[in-house]
């Protein structure tokens, strides 16, 4: 089974950009691709094309409609809030078991499949008022693709994420240092700084890169 959980060192790091590039690269070389974004916030119904789920669907060469977004996204909220806060404000029951079941629903058994489950926010971002994405990762039991990007504090956040994943025995399939926009810091600086304090074998994903070399590194694990 070729399924991976995509998480990050924080919010607005480039998880969706990296996930979309990996899906496109996998599709180009013949893998059957699919993705799941269980929780999403910050996009209204008039902006689904630009939403995280919309970008994943486009990378899979699927149409972006309210129906297809619902196929890969269980809960979506317009306010840009953490999922637990968005659910609380919407008066929704925070059913972690339902969210976990939705994420597990489409896990592939085909070895030629490439499936991504993309989290919301960073490694320790809440899923519900009682569960964090770190709990979600442990319950799913999938290898993790960790996405980082350069900003003040990124070294500390990257080292903290790596320490937690290693301490809890989570398989790290790839570490991607992203450049999600042309204006963002190139990945080489963060990779070099983190390597001063760890044996990081991160891959840089510059803006516009197709992600195929990162895909190859994942499948060598």
């Amino acid at each position: 089974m070729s399924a991976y959980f995509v998480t990050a060192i924080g919010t607005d790091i480039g998880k969706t950009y990296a996930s979309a590039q990996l899906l496109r690269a996998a599709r180009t070389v013949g893998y059957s691709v699919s993705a799941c974004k269980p929780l999403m916030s910050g996009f209204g119904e008039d902006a689904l094309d630009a939403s995280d789920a919309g970008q994943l669907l486009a990378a899979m060469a699927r149409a972006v409609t309210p129906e297809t977004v619902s196929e890969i996204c269980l809960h979506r909220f317009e306010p840009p809030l953490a999922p637990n806060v968005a659910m609380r404000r919407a008066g929704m029951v925070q059913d972690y078991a339902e969210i976990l079941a939705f994420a597990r629903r489409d896990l592939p058994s085909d070895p030629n499949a490439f499936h991504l489950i993309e989290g919301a926010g960073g490694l320790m971002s809440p899923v519900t008022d009682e569960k964090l994405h770190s709990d979600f990762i442990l319950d799913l039991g999938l290898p993790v693709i960790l996405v980082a990007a350069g900003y003040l504090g990124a070294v500390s956040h990257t080292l903290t994420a790596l320490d937690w994943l290693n301490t809890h025995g989570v398989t790290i399939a790839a570490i991607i240092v992203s450049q999600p926009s042309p204006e963002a810091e190139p990945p080489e600086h963060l990779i070099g700084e983190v390597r001063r304090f760890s044996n990081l074998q991160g891959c840089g994903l510059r803006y516009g890169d197709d992600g195929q070399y990162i895909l190859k590194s994942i499948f060598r694990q």
Side-chain angles (χ1 to χ4, degrees), residues 166-190:
N166 287 322
T167 298
H168 288 81
V170 177
T171 299
I172 303 174
I175 303 165
I176 300 174
V177 180
S178 174
Q179 184 187 21
S181 69
E183 300 79 22
E185 180 182 284
E188 290 78 14
H189 175 73
L190 179 59

Side-chain angles (χ1 to χ4, degrees), residues 18-192:
S19 296
Q21 293 299 78
L22 287 173
L23 289 167
R24 288 190 181 93
R27 187 163 54 84
T28 297
V29 296
Y31 287 98
S32 171
V33 300
S34 56
C36 176
K37 177 79 178 185
L39 303 167
M40 180 174 72
S41 63
F43 298 94
E45 293 300 295
D46 60 343
L48 290 181
D49 284 340
S51 72
D52 295 345
Q55 292 180 62
L56 297 177
L57 286 164
M60 293 185 279
R62 295 188 59 190
V64 180
T65 68
E67 292 74 24
T68 57
V69 168
S70 293
E71 288 178 20
I72 70 167
C73 181
L74 177 63
H75 298 311
R76 58 184 188 262
F77 306 95
E78 186 168 354
L81 301 169
N84 65 320
V85 177
M87 284 187 278
R88 195 188 315 139
R89 291 192 181 180
M92 291 177 56
V93 174
Q94 298 184 26
D95 190 338
Y96 177 75
E98 179 188 26
I99 297 167
L100 184 61
F102 183 86
R104 286 174 170 162
R105 183 190 61 182
D106 293 325
L107 290 176
S109 57
D110 182 355
N112 291 317
F114 182 72
H115 181 77
L116 297 179
I117 300 174
E118 185 186 318
L123 175 63
M124 292 291 179
S125 294
V127 176
T128 67
D129 285 344
E130 297 180 348
K131 294 287 187 176
L132 302 171
H133 272 82
S134 53
D135 299 305
F136 203 30
I137 288 168
L138 294 177
D139 288 337
L140 285 169
L142 298 175
V144 159
I145 297 171
L146 178 67
V147 182
Y151 58 87
L152 185 62
V155 173
S156 175
H157 296 165
T158 303
L159 291 171
T160 300
L162 291 173
D163 180 69
W164 187 91
L165 292 167
N166 287 322
T167 298
H168 288 81
V170 177
T171 299
I172 303 174
I175 303 165
I176 300 174
V177 180
S178 174
Q179 184 187 21
S181 69
E183 300 79 22
E185 180 182 284
E188 290 78 14
H189 175 73
L190 179 59
I191 291 173

